């Protein structure tokens, strides 16, 4: 298990109409992209099963439960 905290203000910044309450579930992924580094590398929290890096695939999103 991993706990991750994100301020509600940050969610509202990118989704101003979003109204979340405790127990709500949103879907997404968290990734790190080092494509401009000397040795390109990528990593993500939820596996993305595509031939190359593509982190915008909802079928590979995981669940975030709002507390």
């Amino acid at each position: 298990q991993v706990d991750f905290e994100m301020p509600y203000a940050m969610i509202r910044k990118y989704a101003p109409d979003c109204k979340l309450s405790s127990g709500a579930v949103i879907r997404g992924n968290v990734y790190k992209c080092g494509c401009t580094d000397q040795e390109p590398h990528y990593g993500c929290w939820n596996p993305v099963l595509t031939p190359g890096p593509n982190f915008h695939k909802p079928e590979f999103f995981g669940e975030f439960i709002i507390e």
Side-chain angles (χ1 to χ4, degrees), residues 25-66:
V25 177
I26 57 176
R27 296 180 50 77
N29 206 348
V30 177
Y31 63 93
K32 189 250 188 242
C33 178
C35 58
T36 59
D37 293 347
Q38 188 174 11
E39 183 71 33
H41 60 281
Y42 307 89
C44 57
W45 159 68
N46 213 49
V48 178
L49 306 175
T50 59
N54 186 345
F55 302 110
H56 303 284
K57 305 287 283 180
E59 61 267 34
F60 299 114
F61 287 179
E63 293 185 345
F64 295 93
I65 302 169
I66 307 302

Side-chain angles (χ1 to χ4, degrees), residues 6-20 26:
M6 178 185 301
Y8 187 53
M10 184 175 174
I11 295 171
R12 295 291 305 247
K13 178 179 178 179
Y14 297 101
D17 297 329
C18 183
K19 293 180 176 41
L20 298 172
I26 57 176

